[in-house]
């Protein structure tokens, strides 16, 4: 079996047992990238092969001296290009950052550095993570490895496509309203959005601070647990990161069945707008969870219908403020057209920001304006609390909630680009968990007739990622979906 | 019709924390541009703020000293606007939930006591500084100051004159300096004030149109600007015109206020709670702990000086105007228990020298020990009080010990009866007419004879001793 087909855990085991050398891993992956990247376009910046190879040689030399390796050692990873890395540019898929090279690593990257992982490159995304298809990247869209004229989802589409196309063994993504889960579903891989506060946001370029969360995109559920083990934990640099104990998430897999787990199916998620193919796949997956011992129950999340509206007020409000710093004064693009200060601000932002980002900045500016604040932002905050209560009540009765990730299979490139409302509805099933700050995973649960992946979402209580991982892993092992691989043509 | 002014004040006090409000950078003033910066205070993508605990503690202590209630839960909010010196495109401040609310400060203006109510005091971060250097193309920005913690203290609009405002400002500044939370330096911008004022017909209860004043960096300018503005608005109103709501700058050169921006140009700051910072919880225990650390406040210390040292209100007021001065005084009293003498000497001689050399009492070249040493020489009759006063500038300038100076200059008073006796005998012999006049009952002549003795001794004779011996000699 080719090296690039292995999961992170499998590759790690081989490396630790000295069955494969880091330099072989690097060569295999760069060969794979050279073959498929022109078609998939998962990366914005690819790391220099010789640099990565030099690090791999060093690792191979040093390996003999070590008694113990670390879980990510020599693992070739992709990092979404809105997570700061001091050694590669961080563009956020935007012209406004130019070739911005942060003078620091995001806390998650800093935590991973001692593992001596191999950074293959920075993966593509919708500009500032605003979008569901990567079509809003200033550097062009990534493609869905299963069908190249379809979108890989977004905003972490580059990360999901890179994992699905074996262009990296695993990747980091970020999720604000579904940006890890939705592309993972589109590309037939696993995407985990941890509980808000579980993983440090320091160095994740902010889109909507009260929602953003970094998480892994991987080939299977085991790998998601391995990565989360490294990513999770309190960070003094992020006031919103939680001071809660971090378990060894792989221990969640000791139980192979779902006995004594109550699994809720929200009625409101299976109504109008849900594609029949998706519904069939998800219903079958739910039956499988039942066969594995889970007790399936219908539950209600009454405020589901207003979640998308609520999200687009809160997220855009925060974004309008978060993106104000791109003014051309200190870094990134500065318009050469301007004659005075106001023009410098305006022209820089006009030239540097894309259409969707501008739309959201305008929406967010509007909802925070004096006279409108109470009607929009204030109201949205109140509704957000109601949505959180919906979940709290549901979790009185059940341990997990299951649903589709996305209402349809992945759509075609260009299909929704001119219809923002349709595009926003791609996240209808993922947004609620984001507003409630809950952990949620997306795992493959079938394919459409066209051969495009369909995802299953499992949502858990705050900081109960273990329960999610346990159910997801049991389902993954009971089914064969993870063994299917895209042909890329 | 006559009008009265209604004045409110916003004061921005820079807190004396070691590091900035939301990052670990230092707060020292005057370093080379952009050497005190990091990703957080430069607003780099992905960086996040973390609240400085020391700043919160200083705000609470200032709030307690201003009789404010401290909010158990308070939030930071973003104030959004674009400006080159504002790295994130928003300032982190407090809006709906300030840390301190509803306090007051008691003042004495012209012997009349008044209370100025504090509406709120909240924490926020400072911006950087734009530099318009003529030799450079375009403008430059120095972010050293960006992120420095500020406490914004807002009064109710209820002061009526420039004099009241200045008294309030001095009192507030003394208090903050006293608490060690602000250095009170107006020129360096660590204590900035922005008055707002409106005029209304005397006796009216509704407020007139408000004008805000900026660019005022000394008490003198506060007074001048307010008086100018009250005059300007009075004139406008008397002419039957209306005052416009606007922000005006104090133009130092022209000694007048000029329009900076009108109401129409005012920003919509789009305040909203900062999602990067969780609400700040302040427990009762924490507040109690900080209350313990509050030093005796100036007002209380003043009263204690009056009762404990029998000083006048005025003297006690001067001595407690800064903690350093009050500490200096009490150190002296501890070494030499004559509070009144020390008070006179400190207020007269020491403060004059300090003023003339532009120094403050912390860096006084004359320590309490030296000052007391000098007063001790008066007490034991070695020199006169007058000589001590005359000698003080030299003690101050040279840094030498008073004892040593007195010796060097041969100033020690002569009280030796033998030596003085000889002088007296010679004075009596050379002024027979006056001696006769005295003996005939003209006592005023004694002063003349006394002066002759002092003169003959080169001013060193101990006056009381001379008087005693002279009387004895004339009687004999």
């Amino acid at each position: 079996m080719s090296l690039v087909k292995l999961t992170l855990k499998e590759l790690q085991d081989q490396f630790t047992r000295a069955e494969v050398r880091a330099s072989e891993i690097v060569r295999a992956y760069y060969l794979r990238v050279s073959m498929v990247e022109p078609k998939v376009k998962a990366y914005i910046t690819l790391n220099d092969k010789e640099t990565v190879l030099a690090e791999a040689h060093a690792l191979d030399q040093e390996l003999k001296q070590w008694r113990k390796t670390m879980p990510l050692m020599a693992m070739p990873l992709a990092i979404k290009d809105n997570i700061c890395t001091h050694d590669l540019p961080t563009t956020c898929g935007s012209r406004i950052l130019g070739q911005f090279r942060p003078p620091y690593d995001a806390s998650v990257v800093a935590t991973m550095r001692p593992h001596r992982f191999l950074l293959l490159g920075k993966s593509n995304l919708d500009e500032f993570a605003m979008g569901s298809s990567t079509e809003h990247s200033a550097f062009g869209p990534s493609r869905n490895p299963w069908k190249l004229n379809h979108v890989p989802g977004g905003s972490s589409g580059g990360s999901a496509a890179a994992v699905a196309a074996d262009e990296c063994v695993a990747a980091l993504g970020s999720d604000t309203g579904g940006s890890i889960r939705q592309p993972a579903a589109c590309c037939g891989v696993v995407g985990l959005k941890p509980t808000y506060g579980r993983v440090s946001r320091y160095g994740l370029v902010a889109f909507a601070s009260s929602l953003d969360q970094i998480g892994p995109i991987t080939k299977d559920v085991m790998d998601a647990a391995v990565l989360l083990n490294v990513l999770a934990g309190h960070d003094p640099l992020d006031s919103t990161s939680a001071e809660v104990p971090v378990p060894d998430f792989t221990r969640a897999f000791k139980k192979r069945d779902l006995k004594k787990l109550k699994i809720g199916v929200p009625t409101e998620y299976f109504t109008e707008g849900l594609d029949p193919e998706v519904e069939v796949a998800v219903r079958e997956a739910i039956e499988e969870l039942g066969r594995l011992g889970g007790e399936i129950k219908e539950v209600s999340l009454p405020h589901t219908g207003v979640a998308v509206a609520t999200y687009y007020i809160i997220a855009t409000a925060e974004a309008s403020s978060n993106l104000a710093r791109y003014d051309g004064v200190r870094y990134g693009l500065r318009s050469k057209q301007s004659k005075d200060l106001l023009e410098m601000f305006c022209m820089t932002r006009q030239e540097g920001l894309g259409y969707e980002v501008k739309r959201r900045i305008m929406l967010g500016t509007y909802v925070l304006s004096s006279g409108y604040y109470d009607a929009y932002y204030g109201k949205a905050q109140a509704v957000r609390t109601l949505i959180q209560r919906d979940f709290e009540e549901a979790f009185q009765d059940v341990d997990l909630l299951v649903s589709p990730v996305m209402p349809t299979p992945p759509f075609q490139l260009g299909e929704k680009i001119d219809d923002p409302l349709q595009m926003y509805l791609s996240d209808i099933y993922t947004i609620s968990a984001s507003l409630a700050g809950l952990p949620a995973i997306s795992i493959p649960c079938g394919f459409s007739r066209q051969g495009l992946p369909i995802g299953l979402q499992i949502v858990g209580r705050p900081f109960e990622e273990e329960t999610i991982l346990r159910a997801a892993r049991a389902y993954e092992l009971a089914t064969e979906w993870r063994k299917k691989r895209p042909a890329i043509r | 019709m006559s009008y009265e002014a209604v004045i409110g004040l916003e004061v921005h006090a820079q807190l004396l924390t070691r590091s900035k409000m939301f990052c670990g950078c230092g707060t020292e003033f005057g370093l080379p541009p952009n050497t005190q910066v990091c990703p957080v205070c430069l607003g780099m993508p992905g960086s996040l703020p973390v609240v400085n605990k020391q700043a919160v503690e200083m705000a609470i202590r200032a709030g307690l000293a201003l009789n404010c209630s401290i909010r158990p839960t308070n939030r930071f909010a973003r104030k959004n606007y674009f400006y080159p010196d504002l790295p994130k495109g928003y300032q982190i401040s407090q809006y709906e939930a300030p840390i301190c609310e509803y306090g007051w400060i008691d003042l004495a203006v012209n012997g009349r006591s008044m209370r100025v109510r504090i509406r709120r005091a909240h924490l926020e971060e400072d911006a950087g500084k734009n530099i318009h250097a003529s030799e450079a193309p375009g403008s430059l920005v120095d972010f050293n100051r960006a992120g420095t913690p500020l406490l914004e203290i807002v009064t109710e609009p209820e002061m009526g004159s420039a004099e009241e405002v200045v008294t309030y400002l001095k009192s507030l500044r003394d208090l903050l300096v006293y608490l060690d939370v602000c250095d009170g330096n107006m020129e360096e911008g660590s204590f900035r004030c922005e008055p707002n004022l409106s005029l209304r017909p005397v006796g009216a209860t509704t407020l007139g149109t408000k004008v805000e004043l900026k660019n005022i960096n000394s008490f003198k300018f506060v007074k001048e600007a307010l008086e100018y503005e009250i005059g300007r608005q009075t004139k406008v109103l008397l002419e039957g015109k209306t005052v416009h709501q606007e922000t005006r700058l104090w133009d130092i050169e022209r000694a007048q206020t000029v329009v900076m921006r009108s109401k129409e140009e005012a920003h919509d700051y789009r305040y909203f709670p900062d999602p990067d910072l969780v609400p700040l919880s302040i427990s009762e225990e924490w507040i109690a702990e900080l209350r313990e650390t509050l030093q005796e406040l100036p007002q209380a210390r003043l009263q204690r000086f009056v009762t404990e040292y029998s000083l006048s209100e005025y003297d006690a007021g001067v001595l407690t105007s800064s903690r350093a001065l009050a500490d200096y005084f009490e150190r002296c009293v501890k070494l030499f228990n004559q509070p009144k003498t020390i008070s006179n000497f400190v207020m007269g001689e020491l403060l004059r020298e300090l003023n003339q050399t532009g120094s403050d009492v912390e860096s006084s070249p004359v320590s309490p020990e030296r000052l007391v040493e000098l007063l001790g020489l008066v007490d034991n009759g070695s020199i006169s009080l007058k000589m001590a006063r005359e000698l003080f500038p030299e003690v101050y300038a040279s840094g030498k010990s008073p004892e040593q100076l007195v010796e060097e200059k041969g100033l020690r008073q002569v009280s030796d009866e033998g030596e003085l006796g000889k002088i007296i005998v010679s004075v009596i012999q050379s002024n027979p007419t006056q001696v006769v006049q005295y003996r005939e009952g003209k006592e005023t002549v004694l002063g003349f004879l006394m002066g002759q003795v002092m003169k003959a001794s080169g001013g060193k004779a101990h006056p009381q001793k001379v008087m005693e011996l002279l009387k004895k000699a004339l009687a004999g």
Side-chain angles (χ1 to χ4, degrees):
Chain A
M1 196 170 165
S2 161
L3 270 185
V4 297
K5 302 278 176 213
L6 299 175
T7 67
L8 186 149
K9 184 73 167 52
E10 291 164 348
L11 188 62
Q12 180 58 41
D13 287 347
Q14 291 203 6
F15 176 73
T16 309
R17 291 196 299 264
E19 290 165 18
V20 62
R21 294 156 61 87
S23 49
E24 288 175 74
I25 296 173
V26 172
R27 287 204 180 89
Y29 269 93
Y30 272 93
L31 178 63
R32 175 69 181 173
V33 167
S34 71
M35 284 160 59
V36 302
E37 176 62 8
K39 294 173 189 161
V40 178
K41 300 185 192 318
Y43 288 101
I44 289 178
T45 307
L46 203 57
N47 206 348
D48 170 50
K49 184 182 171 185
E50 295 311 315
T51 308
V52 182
L53 208 50
E55 168 69 358
H57 283 309
L59 278 168
D60 288 332
Q61 286 298 309
E62 294 166 34
L63 181 63
K64 296 159 206 135
Q65 304 157 21
W66 293 322
R67 263 170 282 152
K68 204 166 167 279
T69 55
M70 293 173 91
L72 302 184
M73 195 164 275
M75 294 298 106
L77 305 180
I79 293 180
K80 189 178 180 181
D81 209 20
N82 61 350
I83 297 172
C84 289
T85 48
H86 74 78
D87 49 351
L88 285 182
T90 299
T91 70
C92 293
S94 181
R95 274 185 301 273
I96 206 158
L97 275 165
Q99 283 295 295
F100 175 68
R101 191 129 155 204
Y104 56 100
D105 278 337
S107 287
V108 288
V109 177
T111 308
M112 284 163 46
R113 293 277 186 201
H115 285 248
R116 310 277 296 271
F117 74 100
L118 304 169
L119 176 55
L120 289 190
K122 302 297 289 289
S123 46
N124 197 15
L125 69 161
D126 290 290
E127 186 174 3
F128 287 105
M130 297 179 186
S132 309
S133 69
T134 70
E135 290 167 292
H136 296 304
S137 169
F139 305 102
S142 299
R143 307 301 182 110
N144 191 315
W146 294 88
K147 241 182 182 338
L148 294 173
N149 61 345
H150 281 66
V151 301
S155 65
S156 311
S159 291
V163 174
D166 299 326
E167 291 192 71
C168 63
V169 73
L172 295 190
S174 73
D175 191 312
T176 305
S179 280
I180 286 175
R181 292 160 284 165
Q182 190 259 17
C186 288
C187 294
V189 293
V190 171
L192 173 65
K193 181 198 95 77
T195 312
Y196 184 79
R198 181 63 106 174
V199 175
S200 169
R201 292 188 297 116
Y202 190 89
L204 166 65
V205 179
F207 159 17
S209 315
S210 74
L211 296 154
D212 296 340
Q213 191 66 191
I214 293 171
I217 295 179
T218 53
K219 296 189 179 190
D220 70 1
V221 176
M222 171 61 85
D223 286 359
V226 170
L227 259 174
L228 187 60
N229 273 350
V230 179
L231 301 176
H234 174 67
D235 177 9
L237 295 180
D238 175 3
S239 311
T240 62
S241 87
E243 287 189 74
V244 292
V246 178
D248 175 357
F249 293 101
T250 61
R251 292 179 67 91
F253 306 140
K254 288 200 161 170
K255 288 190 186 138
R256 291 295 183 89
D257 59 47
L258 304 182
K259 291 209 175 79
K260 290 186 181 163
L261 272 190
K262 287 187 211 150
I263 296 170
V265 182
T267 319
E268 292 82 0
Y269 284 36
F270 292 85
T271 51
E272 213 185 325
L274 178 58
D275 183 285
E277 278 191 299
V278 176
E279 173 156 12
V280 168
V282 170
R283 293 248 185 236
E284 276 173 14
I286 294 170
E287 277 173 36
E288 182 61 38
L289 293 172
R291 282 193 289 277
L292 285 163
E295 184 192 328
I296 311 296
K297 292 180 75 171
E298 285 260 321
V299 295
S300 174
L301 299 171
H303 295 93
T304 300
V306 289
V308 173
T310 304
Y311 172 84
Y312 275 95
I313 290 171
I314 292 173
T316 57
E318 292 180 13
S320 71
S321 174
N322 281 333
L323 271 66
R325 68 188 61 194
Y326 309 110
D327 56 7
V329 174
R330 286 145 297 131
Y331 45 74
L333 181 80
R334 178 187 293 172
S335 171
K336 293 184 175 68
Q337 313 282 321
S338 56
K339 292 188 294 291
D340 59 29
L341 180 64
L342 186 64
E343 263 191 36
M344 183 182 101
F345 288 155
C346 294
M347 297 300 292
T348 298
R349 291 167 73 77
Q350 183 175 320
E351 292 166 24
L353 298 173
Y355 196 78
E356 179 63 20
V357 170
K358 284 179 194 156
R359 180 183 359 252
R360 296 198 194 195
I361 289 174
M362 287 176 70
L363 276 171
T365 304
Y366 180 79
V367 300
L368 288 176
S369 302
S370 87
Y372 297 97
Y373 182 94
D374 292 338
Y376 292 103
Y377 187 78
K379 181 75 89 184
Q381 287 293 12
V383 175
R384 183 176 189 174
T385 309
L386 294 177
I387 291 168
Q388 278 163 348
R389 283 210 198 114
D390 279 0
F391 280 102
E392 278 163 24
E393 271 170 37
F395 282 125
Q396 301 271 317
D397 296 331
V398 297
D399 302 299
L400 294 170
L401 292 167
V402 291
S403 76
V405 176
M406 202 178 150
T408 63
F411 44 90
Q412 282 189 39
L413 281 159
E415 193 181 325
K416 297 188 179 181
I417 191 83
D418 296 322
D419 191 345
L421 277 183
Q422 277 306 309
M423 187 80 94
Y424 294 174
L425 287 174
S426 318
D427 294 330
I428 191 164
Y429 300 128
T430 49
I431 271 174
S432 293
S434 294
L435 287 168
L438 301 171
I441 201 167
S442 167
I443 53 171
C445 73
F447 288 87
S448 71
R449 279 187 304 273
Q450 279 198 60
L452 285 158
I454 293 169
L456 173 75
Q457 176 175 237
I458 308 175
V459 182
R461 296 190 189 96
F463 301 104
E464 290 191 9
E465 285 88 353
E466 285 168 286
T467 318
I468 295 174
L469 289 164
R470 176 187 156 196
R473 182 67 172 167
Y475 175 80
E476 173 178 88
L477 293 175
T479 55
E480 300 284 303
W481 307 119
R482 71 186 188 289
K483 292 179 183 165
K484 289 193 77 174
R485 285 287 193 257
I488 310 185
R489 53 173 178 257
Chain B
M1 195 183 307
S2 63
Y3 292 93
E4 63 179 8
V6 181
I7 310 170
L9 268 179
E10 279 177 21
V11 165
H12 287 87
Q14 187 183 316
L15 297 176
L16 285 173
T17 54
R18 283 183 297 277
S19 56
K20 291 185 179 180
M21 186 68 224
F22 297 111
C23 65
C25 290
T27 51
E28 203 184 319
F29 182 83
L31 293 184
N34 297 313
T35 53
Q36 232 164 196
V37 291
C38 74
V40 176
C41 57
L42 284 176
M44 289 272 186
S47 64
L48 293 171
V50 176
V51 175
N52 181 337
K53 191 180 172 192
Q54 202 190 9
V56 174
E57 296 193 333
M58 286 183 174
I60 295 174
R61 288 172 60 237
L64 291 173
L66 289 168
N67 306 296
C68 288
S69 44
I70 309 298
R71 268 185 104 99
T73 305
N74 53 102
R75 285 218 68 142
F76 288 93
R78 293 186 184 178
K79 179 179 180 178
N80 295 284
Y81 64 96
F82 286 96
Y83 208 60
D85 67 7
L86 190 69
K88 297 185 291 295
Y90 58 84
Q91 178 196 31
I92 306 179
S93 180
Q94 293 189 301
Y95 186 56
E96 284 171 328
I99 186 161
C100 312
E101 291 173 300
Y102 316 121
W104 73 84
I105 190 164
D106 285 327
L107 309 171
V109 185
N110 284 335
R112 184 176 57 84
S113 66
M114 71 173 287
R115 172 167 290 187
V116 174
R117 284 180 299 157
I118 309 289
R119 181 184 289 172
R120 57 186 280 154
H122 69 252
L123 281 164
E124 62 184 31
E125 58 177 342
D126 208 345
K129 216 175 216 169
N130 293 341
I131 299 162
H132 309 284
S134 51
E135 68 273 19
S139 296
L140 305 166
V141 194
D142 175 8
F143 289 103
N144 280 352
R145 203 182 61 180
T148 303
L150 299 176
L151 187 66
E152 180 178 329
I153 303 155
V154 184
T155 70
E156 296 293 345
E158 53 192 15
M159 282 165 276
S161 67
E163 196 179 12
E164 288 179 4
V165 169
V166 170
T167 310
Y168 162 76
L169 282 173
K170 283 188 172 162
S171 177
L172 177 66
R173 190 180 72 161
D174 287 348
L175 184 72
L176 297 179
V177 171
Y178 218 88
L179 292 169
D180 259 339
V181 304
C182 177
D183 68 15
N185 190 323
M186 287 180 96
E187 288 73 29
E188 283 179 10
S190 41
F191 186 84
R192 285 169 252 165
C193 68
E194 286 167 15
N196 56 74
L197 83 157
S198 60
L199 258 53
R200 65 180 172 196
V202 175
T205 49
T206 51
L207 292 172
T209 307
K210 187 169 80 174
V211 167
E212 290 178 33
L213 299 179
K214 283 183 191 282
N215 193 38
I216 297 174
N217 62 0
S218 77
F219 291 132
K220 182 170 161 270
F221 294 148
V222 171
K223 193 163 179 295
E224 289 175 8
L226 281 171
E227 281 168 356
Y228 174 87
E229 189 57 23
I230 291 170
R232 185 190 71 84
Q233 290 188 26
T234 307
K235 189 161 169 276
V236 169
L237 291 171
L238 286 176
E239 284 169 0
K241 296 181 198 155
T242 49
V243 172
H244 298 293
Q245 186 176 337
E246 57 197 8
T247 302
R248 299 177 73 90
L249 285 180
W250 174 243
D251 184 331
I252 300 165
E253 304 279 302
R254 292 193 281 168
Q256 62 185 52
T257 63
V258 292
V259 181
M260 179 187 157
R261 66 167 174 252
S262 68
K263 189 193 174 190
E264 289 70 37
E265 298 165 79
H267 296 289
D268 177 358
Y269 290 119
R270 307 192 314 278
Y271 281 100
F272 75 108
D274 190 339
D276 285 331
L277 293 164
V278 291
L280 182 65
S281 295
I282 299 168
S283 67
E284 283 294 323
E285 292 75 43
W286 196 13
I287 296 173
E289 226 171 84
L290 291 169
R291 204 185 287 277
E292 290 278 302
T293 70
L294 282 186
Q295 299 93 342
E296 188 182 23
L297 297 176
Q299 197 61 30
R301 203 172 191 182
L302 188 155
Q303 285 312 318
R304 184 167 63 78
F305 276 24
V306 170
T307 48
E308 194 174 327
Y309 303 126
S310 308
L311 300 179
S312 72
E313 287 259 352
Y314 176 80
D315 291 2
V318 172
L319 290 174
T320 55
S321 64
S322 85
R323 192 170 76 225
L325 185 61
D327 287 348
Y328 187 100
F329 169 77
E330 291 212 274
R331 174 109 193 97
C332 292
V333 174
K334 214 170 169 189
L335 296 167
F336 182 66
N337 193 19
Q338 291 193 19
K340 186 67 197 158
T341 313
I342 292 169
S343 163
N344 288 340
F345 209 82
V346 165
M347 287 170 57
E349 317 313 313
L350 179 65
L351 288 185
R352 188 193 60 234
E353 290 304 315
L354 289 173
N355 271 340
Q356 277 172 8
T357 53
S359 354
D360 46 34
V361 71
E362 280 107 326
S363 51
S364 163
V366 181
S367 64
E369 286 75 13
R370 285 278 157 84
L371 187 117
V372 162
E373 186 187 321
L374 183 61
L375 293 176
L377 291 173
V378 177
D379 193 52
N380 68 20
S382 302
I383 55 172
S384 68
L385 188 59
K386 187 162 169 280
M387 287 164 76
R389 288 209 182 102
E390 285 164 7
L391 194 60
F392 187 74
E394 210 169 334
V395 176
Y396 187 93
S398 67
K400 287 182 182 168
S401 117
E403 285 255 23
Q404 190 192 342
L405 269 178
V406 166
E407 288 305 329
E408 275 178 20
K409 299 172 76 81
L411 294 177
R412 197 172 285 279
Q413 287 185 125
V414 181
S415 349
D416 180 71
E417 292 192 13
E419 205 174 319
L420 287 179
K422 283 182 203 155
I423 298 174
I424 288 171
V425 168
S426 89
V427 167
I428 288 179
Q429 281 170 358
S430 35
N431 296 286
T433 330
Q434 286 78 4
V435 170
V436 171
Q437 285 174 338
Y438 177 80
R439 286 184 176 148
E440 283 168 354
K442 198 171 179 191
E443 297 217 355
T444 48
V445 178
L446 189 62
F448 169 79
L449 294 171
M450 176 90 191
Q452 295 301 306
V453 177
M454 293 306 286
K455 198 175 163 191
S457 75
K460 288 192 283 180
H462 192 286
Q464 268 129 5
K465 204 81 196 169
V466 173
M467 183 68 81
E468 182 192 323
L469 293 176
L470 189 60
K471 279 184 180 166
K472 210 188 265 176
L474 290 168

